[in-house]
Amino acid sequence: MSNPRVLIVGASIAGPTAAYWLAKAGAKVTIIERFPKLRTNGQNVDIRTVGVTVMRRMAGMEATVRSKMIPMEGVSFVNTNGQSYGTLGATGNPDQQSLVSEYEIFRGDLSQILFDMTKDNENITYIFGEQVTSIRQQEKGDGPVTVEFANGLPPSEFDLVVACDGGNSRTRAIGLGCAVRDHITPANCWAAYFSIKQDLLKGTKLGHAYNAPGGRFIGIATDSPGVTRIAAMNFHPPDNPDATLPFREALKQGDDALKKYIANHFKGCGWICDELSKEIMEAQNFYASEIVQVKVPSIYKGRFVLVGDAGYAPGPTGTGTSLAMAGAYVLAGEVGKHKGDLAAALRGYEEQMRPIINDMQKIPRFFLTVLAPQTAWGIWLRNIIFAFITLTRLLAFVQKLSAGAFSSTDKHNLPDYDWVS
Ligand SMILES: Cc1cc2nc3c(=O)[nH]c(=O)nc-3n(C[C@H](O)[C@H](O)[C@H](O)COP(=O)(O)OP(=O)(O)OC[C@H]3O[C@@H](n4cnc5c(N)ncnc54)[C@H](O)[C@@H]3O)c2cc1C
Ligand SMILES: *[C@@H]1O[C@H](CO)[C@@H](O)[C@H](O)[C@H]1NC(C)=O
């Protein structure tokens, strides 16, 4: 079985990256996606650290990503009148990233790039509008797996089933035999991403960020001329695990209910909040989700394995994309290395990934204090400190200090796999 039949579930970031590398490792890949076509909405994602390493090993990808990068010069934190307190700049050096990554790209563009790199491969078949309803493993979990589908694909046998369907993975629940919310640690935070047809920033390449009490955060950036991309987030205090319940209820009712909930949530909170609360109802490319961490005792079970957010979503740290790319690469690398021995490959995958996952799931301590102070006083204090460090040019220094958490230099030394030519 040196050409394993692999089913990948989910075609966002983890899925297509896993398809690319698994096909290189000799697999015959079927990749299914619940949505009828590739989802290209979403806001910025970052490619950092291990993600940069994997990108550089994928033929031609770095150049394509560079051509699609968001020309962000930095993020300016503003007060309720839109005046800036301080600006976090990009460092201008791809090997020395700060809070603003040098490889910042719209998630939809990244997903499209990965799809384009895999869609014509004779060993990769994409099927849209499909999902898994059951996964039956052999008694000892060491033989082919029988999978049933919801929308017409006949039941089929695979040697390996790879769940890449995100933090709230239903395939994880089916494969591990648990509930969807098992293994989810809420980060007490949600995010909504959308665009509006107004040029709120008058074409500037500087993103703007704003905080209101209660952990409310808005980030906006110019998209194409006349279009502004918005990220609206709420970081609830960590002591209330049910804080996101109203959001989750609205999520279940669909986009309109969700838009109304978010509009109410931001109404009257200063800066452009009132405009946003109106515009959101007509917003395009609307996508919202709860931000969660996923922690499973083991990232595989028999011939069922998790990659990306489905297995180890890191939550609000913004490293999910890089971690997903690394996981996809390492899984395929181990499959190629242990040709014919999937059990050894999966053990290798877990061993290689565990330290990287543990590291990237750490939420830097300063993170929430900087991004989402809870009280008006907290915001005031943060802004005063910010204004001070910007004025005194301490910022460059602070950025260098924090670059450890955000650097693109890959301290994890992802393994080289011989078969990667
Ligand atoms: C539409 C969208 C927009 C996003 N926007 C942002 C953003 O602006 N900023 C940000 O930081 N992160 C965003 N994310 C999350 C980000 O892509 C991930 O955190 C990270 O890249 C890891 O990706 P992933 O492939 O593991 O999971 P995800 O990106 O969550 O992808 C999961 C994929 O699986 C599909 N899927 C879900 N359930 C099933 C099922 N049962 N069967 C088959 N397929 C299924 C989904 O439609 C999706 O395509 C977004 C995700 C999506 C899906
Ligand atoms: C597809 O798989 C076959 C069999 O493993 C292999 O010979 C061929 O080179 C693969 N094609 C591509 C494009 O990788």
Side-chain angles (χ1 to χ4, degrees):
M1 200 231 321
S2 49
N3 301 103
R5 299 158 296 173
V6 176
L7 174 70
I8 295 176
V9 183
S12 171
I13 306 298
T17 313
Y20 176 94
W21 287 107
L22 281 162
K24 272 203 182 300
K28 282 255 178 262
V29 177
T30 305
I31 171 165
I32 65 169
E33 161 62 46
R34 178 162 66 99
F35 271 67
K37 60 184 176 63
L38 196 73
R39 302 173 78 180
T40 51
N41 44 353
Q43 264 265 11
N44 327 12
V45 294
D46 294 335
I47 306 174
R48 301 175 186 272
T49 61
V50 284
V52 176
T53 305
V54 173
M55 171 176 74
R56 287 182 175 157
R57 290 178 190 179
M58 296 174 76
M61 183 170 168
E62 186 175 5
T64 318
V65 165
R66 279 184 182 277
S67 74
K68 286 278 181 186
M69 262 162 41
I70 303 167
M72 276 257 274
E73 284 163 0
V75 177
S76 169
F77 282 78
V78 298
N79 69 10
T80 185
N81 303 319
Q83 283 158 336
S84 175
Y85 278 101
T87 301
L88 272 177
T91 62
N93 170 2
D95 292 322
Q96 231 254 297
Q97 297 182 329
S98 72
L99 209 55
V100 184
S101 167
E102 302 307 329
Y103 293 99
E104 190 152 310
I105 179 169
F106 289 129
R107 191 210 68 97
D109 286 340
L110 181 59
S111 192
Q112 187 73 50
I113 289 170
L114 292 165
F115 177 66
D116 289 343
M117 287 177 79
T118 45
K119 67 181 193 313
D120 297 326
N121 187 312
E122 58 177 324
N123 295 319
I124 300 175
T125 309
Y126 276 90
I127 296 167
F128 287 91
E130 190 55 282
Q131 54 186 314
V132 167
T133 53
S134 82
I135 296 173
R136 206 165 59 245
Q137 298 224 27
Q138 306 285 319
E139 199 90 336
K140 288 185 186 154
D142 58 355
V145 184
T146 309
V147 181
E148 290 179 311
F149 300 92
N151 299 323
L153 207 61
S156 314
E157 268 191 359
F158 297 94
D159 301 301
L160 185 65
V161 176
V162 188
C164 299
D165 52 343
N168 292 301
S169 169
R170 289 180 223 179
T171 313
R172 176 180 66 226
I174 296 170
L176 299 183
C178 63
V180 171
R181 284 197 74 83
D182 287 357
H183 310 299
I184 284 184
T185 312
N188 283 343
C189 170
W190 51 257
Y193 308 99
F194 51 94
S195 330
I196 61 170
K197 280 203 172 142
Q198 267 193 38
D199 189 358
L200 291 177
L201 289 176
K202 316 269 177 303
T204 159
K205 288 174 182 164
L206 204 56
H208 282 48
Y210 173 71
N211 292 98
R216 286 174 291 185
F217 172 88
I218 292 181
I220 72 175
T222 302
D223 182 332
S224 41
V227 179
T228 308
R229 293 230 183 191
I230 319 251
M233 306 174 82
N234 200 124
F235 299 85
H236 295 279
D239 47 15
N240 175 10
D242 291 329
T244 57
L245 214 60
F247 173 85
R248 270 149 51 198
E249 287 305 320
L251 186 68
K252 273 188 211 148
Q253 292 165 32
D255 280 1
D256 270 354
L258 206 48
K259 285 175 173 177
K260 274 192 198 120
Y261 173 78
I262 294 166
N264 278 332
H265 206 75
F266 279 92
K267 207 181 278 165
C269 81
W271 194 38
I272 54 163
C273 287
D274 286 347
E275 271 160 286
L276 277 194
S277 292
K278 275 190 222 116
E279 293 287 339
I280 191 173
M281 296 312 294
E282 313 298 322
Q284 301 164 322
N285 305 322
F286 180 80
Y287 171 78
S289 79
E290 185 190 2
I291 295 182
V292 297
Q293 284 204 323
V294 171
K295 293 180 175 173
V296 289
S298 172
I299 52 178
Y300 69 97
K301 182 183 178 188
R303 294 296 152 83
F304 173 75
V305 63
L306 304 163
V307 174
D309 279 3
Y312 30 78
T317 62
T319 54
T321 298
S322 302
L323 195 50
M325 290 172 68
Y329 166 80
V330 170
L331 173 64
E334 296 293 321
V335 167
K337 179 173 155 190
H338 300 278
K339 272 224 170 332
D341 188 351
L342 282 175
L346 292 171
R347 275 198 305 276
Y349 169 58
E350 172 110 47
E351 263 163 39
Q352 294 289 341
M353 287 306 292
R354 186 51 67 188
I356 304 177
I357 295 167
N358 290 348
D359 190 49
M360 291 178 85
Q361 283 192 329
K362 278 190 207 128
I363 300 174
R365 223 173 304 147
F366 66 87
F367 195 79
L368 291 180
T369 340
V370 172
L371 282 188
Q374 287 300 322
T375 59
W377 185 80
I379 295 169
W380 178 80
L381 188 67
R382 193 276 318 268
N383 288 344
I384 296 287
I385 295 172
F386 231 82
F388 175 74
I389 57 181
T390 317
L391 267 177
T392 57
R393 295 181 175 273
L394 261 173
L395 196 57
F397 176 70
V398 173
Q399 280 184 343
K400 274 206 183 105
L401 272 188
S402 58
F406 293 109
S407 94
S408 72
T409 324
D410 177 6
K411 65 175 177 191
H412 292 292
N413 289 320
L414 278 187
D416 277 310
Y417 293 103
D418 302 342
W419 52 270
V420 179
S421 50

Coordinates of all heavy atoms in Angstrom, one line a residue, residues 77-78 188-191 209-219 231-237 261-271 273-274 276-277 368-376 379 382-383:
F77 N -3.6 52.5 16.0 CA -4.6 52.4 17.1 C -5.2 53.8 17.3 O -4.5 54.8 17.5 CB -4.1 51.9 18.4 CG -3.9 50.4 18.4 CD1 -2.8 49.8 17.7 CD2 -4.8 49.6 19.0 CE1 -2.6 48.5 17.7 CE2 -4.6 48.2 19.0 CZ -3.5 47.6 18.3
V78 N -6.6 53.9 17.1 CA -7.2 55.3 17.2 C -8.1 55.4 18.4 O -8.6 54.4 18.9 CB -8.0 55.6 15.9 CG1 -7.0 55.6 14.7 CG2 -9.1 54.6 15.7
N188 N -13.5 32.5 24.6 CA -14.4 33.6 25.0 C -14.3 34.8 24.1 O -14.3 35.9 24.4 CB -14.0 34.1 26.4 CG -14.5 33.2 27.5 OD1 -15.4 32.3 27.2 ND2 -14.0 33.3 28.7
C189 N -14.3 34.4 22.8 CA -14.0 35.4 21.8 C -14.7 35.1 20.5 O -14.8 33.9 20.2 CB -12.5 35.5 21.6 SG -12.0 36.4 20.3
W190 N -15.3 36.0 19.8 CA -15.8 35.7 18.5 C -15.3 36.8 17.5 O -14.9 37.9 17.9 CB -17.3 35.6 18.4 CG -18.1 36.7 19.1 CD1 -18.7 36.7 20.3 CD2 -18.4 38.0 18.5 NE1 -19.4 37.8 20.5 CE2 -19.2 38.7 19.5 CE3 -18.1 38.6 17.3 CZ2 -19.7 40.0 19.2 CZ3 -18.6 39.9 17.1 CH2 -19.3 40.6 18.1
A191 N -15.4 36.5 16.2 CA -14.9 37.5 15.2 C -15.9 37.4 14.0 O -16.4 36.4 13.7 CB -13.5 37.1 14.7
A209 N -7.2 50.4 14.0 CA -7.8 49.6 15.1 C -8.4 50.4 16.2 O -7.8 51.4 16.5 CB -6.8 48.6 15.6
Y210 N -9.5 49.9 16.7 CA -10.2 50.7 17.8 C -10.7 49.8 18.8 O -11.2 48.7 18.5 CB -11.3 51.5 17.1 CG -12.3 52.2 18.0 CD1 -11.8 53.3 18.7 CD2 -13.6 51.7 18.3 CE1 -12.7 54.0 19.6 CE2 -14.4 52.4 19.1 CZ -14.0 53.5 19.8 OH -14.8 54.2 20.7
N211 N -10.6 50.2 20.1 CA -11.2 49.4 21.2 C -12.3 50.2 21.9 O -12.2 51.4 22.1 CB -10.1 49.1 22.2 CG -9.1 48.2 21.7 OD1 -8.0 48.6 21.3 ND2 -9.4 46.9 21.7
A212 N -13.3 49.4 22.3 CA -14.4 50.0 23.1 C -14.5 49.1 24.4 O -14.1 47.9 24.3 CB -15.7 50.1 22.4
P213 N -15.0 49.6 25.5 CA -15.1 48.8 26.7 C -15.8 47.5 26.4 O -16.6 47.4 25.5 CB -15.8 49.7 27.7 CG -15.6 51.1 27.2 CD -15.4 51.0 25.7
G214 N -15.5 46.5 27.3 CA -16.1 45.2 27.1 C -15.4 44.3 26.2 O -15.9 43.3 25.8
G215 N -14.2 44.7 25.8 CA -13.3 43.9 24.9 C -13.8 43.9 23.5 O -13.5 43.0 22.7
R216 N -14.5 45.0 23.1 CA -14.9 45.2 21.7 C -13.8 45.7 20.9 O -13.1 46.7 21.3 CB -16.2 46.0 21.6 CG -17.4 45.3 22.1 CD -18.6 46.2 22.1 NE -18.5 47.2 23.2 CZ -19.4 48.1 23.5 NH1 -20.6 48.1 22.8 NH2 -19.3 49.0 24.5
F217 N -13.5 45.2 19.8 CA -12.4 45.6 18.9 C -12.9 45.6 17.5 O -13.6 44.8 17.0 CB -11.3 44.5 19.0 CG -10.2 44.7 18.1 CD1 -9.1 45.5 18.4 CD2 -10.2 44.1 16.8 CE1 -8.0 45.7 17.5 CE2 -9.1 44.2 15.9 CZ -8.0 45.0 16.3
I218 N -12.4 46.7 16.8 CA -12.7 46.8 15.3 C -11.4 47.1 14.6 O -10.6 48.0 15.0 CB -13.7 48.0 15.1 CG1 -15.1 47.6 15.6 CG2 -13.8 48.2 13.5 CD1 -16.1 48.7 15.3
G219 N -11.1 46.3 13.6 CA -10.0 46.6 12.7 C -10.5 46.8 11.3 O -11.3 46.1 10.8
A231 N -12.9 43.9 10.4 CA -13.0 42.7 11.4 C -13.6 43.3 12.6 O -13.1 44.3 13.2 CB -11.6 42.2 11.6
A232 N -14.7 42.7 13.1 CA -15.3 43.1 14.4 C -15.1 42.0 15.3 O -15.6 40.8 15.0 CB -16.7 43.5 14.1
M233 N -14.5 42.2 16.5 CA -14.3 41.1 17.4 C -14.7 41.5 18.8 O -14.8 42.6 19.1 CB -12.8 40.7 17.4 CG -12.2 40.4 16.1 SD -10.5 40.2 16.1 CE -10.4 38.5 16.6
N234 N -15.0 40.5 19.6 CA -15.3 40.7 21.0 C -14.5 39.7 21.8 O -14.7 38.5 21.7 CB -16.8 40.6 21.3 CG -17.1 41.3 22.6 OD1 -17.9 42.2 22.6 ND2 -16.4 41.0 23.7
F235 N -13.6 40.3 22.6 CA -12.9 39.4 23.6 C -13.6 39.6 24.9 O -13.4 40.6 25.6 CB -11.4 39.9 23.7 CG -10.7 39.9 22.4 CD1 -10.7 40.9 21.5 CD2 -9.8 38.8 22.1 CE1 -10.0 40.9 20.3 CE2 -9.1 38.7 20.9 CZ -9.2 39.8 20.0
H236 N -14.3 38.6 25.3 CA -15.0 38.6 26.6 C -14.0 38.3 27.7 O -13.0 37.6 27.5 CB -16.1 37.6 26.7 CG -17.2 37.9 25.7 ND1 -18.2 38.8 26.0 CD2 -17.5 37.4 24.5 CE1 -19.1 38.9 25.0 NE2 -18.6 38.1 24.0
P237 N -14.2 38.8 29.0 CA -13.3 38.5 30.1 C -13.2 36.9 30.2 O -14.2 36.2 30.0 CB -14.0 39.1 31.3 CG -15.1 39.9 30.8 CD -15.4 39.5 29.4
Y261 N -27.3 40.8 15.6 CA -26.6 40.7 17.0 C -25.4 41.6 17.0 O -25.2 42.3 18.0 CB -26.3 39.2 17.2 CG -25.5 39.1 18.5 CD1 -26.1 39.1 19.7 CD2 -24.1 38.9 18.4 CE1 -25.3 39.0 20.9 CE2 -23.3 38.7 19.6 CZ -23.9 38.8 20.8 OH -23.2 38.7 21.9
I262 N -24.6 41.5 16.0 CA -23.3 42.3 16.0 C -23.6 43.8 15.9 O -22.9 44.6 16.6 CB -22.4 41.8 14.8 CG1 -22.0 40.3 15.1 CG2 -21.2 42.7 14.7 CD1 -21.4 39.6 13.9
A263 N -24.6 44.1 15.1 CA -24.9 45.6 14.9 C -25.3 46.1 16.3 O -24.8 47.2 16.7 CB -26.1 45.7 13.9
N264 N -26.2 45.4 17.0 CA -26.6 45.9 18.4 C -25.4 46.0 19.3 O -25.3 46.9 20.1 CB -27.6 44.9 19.0 CG -29.0 45.2 18.4 OD1 -29.3 46.4 18.1 ND2 -29.8 44.2 18.3
H265 N -24.5 45.0 19.2 CA -23.4 44.9 20.1 C -22.4 46.1 19.9 O -21.8 46.5 20.9 CB -22.6 43.6 19.7 CG -21.8 43.1 20.9 ND1 -22.4 42.4 21.9 CD2 -20.5 43.1 21.1 CE1 -21.5 42.0 22.8 NE2 -20.4 42.4 22.3
F266 N -22.3 46.6 18.7 CA -21.4 47.7 18.5 C -22.0 49.1 18.4 O -21.3 50.1 18.3 CB -20.6 47.5 17.2 CG -19.4 46.5 17.4 CD1 -19.6 45.2 17.3 CD2 -18.2 47.0 17.9 CE1 -18.5 44.3 17.5 CE2 -17.1 46.1 18.1 CZ -17.3 44.8 17.9
K267 N -23.4 49.1 18.4 CA -24.1 50.4 18.3 C -23.7 51.3 19.5 O -23.6 50.9 20.6 CB -25.6 50.2 18.4 CG -26.3 51.3 17.6 CD -27.8 51.1 17.7 CE -28.3 50.1 16.6 NZ -29.7 49.6 16.9
G268 N -23.4 52.6 19.2 CA -23.1 53.6 20.2 C -21.8 53.4 20.9 O -21.5 54.0 21.9
C269 N -20.8 52.7 20.3 CA -19.6 52.5 21.0 C -18.4 53.4 20.5 O -17.3 53.2 20.8 CB -19.2 51.1 21.1 SG -18.4 50.4 19.7
G270 N -18.8 54.5 19.7 CA -17.8 55.5 19.3 C -17.2 55.2 17.9 O -17.6 54.2 17.2
W271 N -16.3 56.1 17.6 CA -15.6 56.0 16.3 C -16.6 55.7 15.1 O -17.6 56.4 15.0 CB -14.5 55.0 16.3 CG -13.5 55.1 15.2 CD1 -13.0 56.2 14.6 CD2 -12.9 54.0 14.5 NE1 -12.2 55.9 13.6 CE2 -12.1 54.6 13.5 CE3 -12.9 52.6 14.6 CZ2 -11.3 53.8 12.6 CZ3 -12.2 51.9 13.7 CH2 -11.4 52.4 12.7
C273 N -18.5 53.1 14.8 CA -19.4 52.0 15.2 C -20.8 52.2 14.7 O -21.4 51.2 14.2 CB -19.4 51.9 16.7 SG -17.9 51.2 17.4
D274 N -21.3 53.4 14.7 CA -22.7 53.5 14.3 C -22.9 53.3 12.8 O -23.8 52.6 12.3 CB -23.3 54.9 14.7 CG -23.6 54.9 16.2 OD1 -23.6 53.9 16.8 OD2 -23.8 56.0 16.7
L276 N -21.0 51.4 11.0 CA -20.8 50.0 10.8 C -22.1 49.2 11.1 O -22.4 48.3 10.4 CB -19.7 49.5 11.7 CG -18.3 49.6 11.2 CD1 -17.3 48.8 12.0 CD2 -18.2 49.2 9.7
S277 N -22.7 49.6 12.2 CA -23.9 48.9 12.7 C -25.0 49.0 11.6 O -25.8 48.1 11.5 CB -24.4 49.5 14.0 OG -23.5 49.2 15.0
L368 N -3.8 39.9 25.0 CA -5.1 40.4 25.3 C -5.1 41.8 25.9 O -6.0 42.6 25.6 CB -5.9 39.4 26.2 CG -6.2 38.1 25.5 CD1 -7.0 37.2 26.4 CD2 -7.0 38.4 24.2
T369 N -4.1 42.1 26.7 CA -4.0 43.4 27.3 C -3.8 44.5 26.2 O -4.4 45.6 26.3 CB -2.7 43.5 28.2 OG1 -2.3 42.2 28.5 CG2 -3.0 44.4 29.4
V370 N -3.0 44.1 25.2 CA -2.8 45.1 24.1 C -4.0 45.2 23.2 O -4.5 46.3 22.8 CB -1.5 44.7 23.3 CG1 -1.4 45.6 22.1 CG2 -0.3 44.8 24.1
L371 N -4.5 44.0 22.8 CA -5.6 44.1 21.7 C -7.0 44.4 22.3 O -7.8 45.0 21.6 CB -5.6 42.7 21.0 CG -4.5 42.5 20.0 CD1 -4.8 41.2 19.2 CD2 -4.5 43.7 19.0
A372 N -7.2 44.0 23.5 CA -8.6 44.2 23.9 C -8.7 44.4 25.4 O -9.2 43.6 26.2 CB -9.4 42.9 23.5
P373 N -8.3 45.6 25.9 CA -8.5 45.9 27.3 C -10.0 45.9 27.6 O -10.8 46.2 26.7 CB -8.0 47.3 27.4 CG -7.3 47.7 26.1 CD -7.8 46.7 25.1
Q374 N -10.4 45.4 28.8 CA -11.8 45.2 29.1 C -12.5 46.5 29.5 O -13.7 46.7 29.3 CB -11.9 44.2 30.2 CG -11.7 42.8 29.8 CD -12.6 42.3 28.7 OE1 -13.8 42.6 28.7 NE2 -12.1 41.6 27.7
T375 N -11.8 47.4 30.2 CA -12.5 48.6 30.7 C -12.0 49.9 30.0 O -11.0 49.9 29.4 CB -12.1 48.7 32.2 OG1 -10.7 48.8 32.3 CG2 -12.6 47.5 33.0
A376 N -12.8 50.9 30.2 CA -12.4 52.2 29.6 C -11.1 52.6 30.2 O -10.2 53.1 29.5 CB -13.5 53.2 30.0
I379 N -8.3 50.7 28.5 CA -8.0 51.2 27.2 C -7.2 52.5 27.3 O -6.2 52.7 26.5 CB -9.4 51.5 26.4 CG1 -10.1 50.2 26.2 CG2 -9.1 52.3 25.1 CD1 -11.5 50.5 25.7
R382 N -3.7 51.7 28.2 CA -3.0 51.1 27.1 C -2.6 52.2 26.1 O -1.5 52.2 25.6 CB -3.9 50.0 26.4 CG -3.2 49.1 25.4 CD -3.1 49.7 24.0 NE -4.2 50.4 23.4 CZ -5.2 49.8 22.7 NH1 -5.2 48.6 22.5 NH2 -6.1 50.6 22.3
N383 N -3.5 53.1 25.8 CA -3.3 54.1 24.8 C -2.2 55.1 25.3 O -1.4 55.5 24.5 CB -4.6 54.9 24.5 CG -5.5 54.0 23.7 OD1 -5.1 53.0 23.1 ND2 -6.7 54.4 23.6

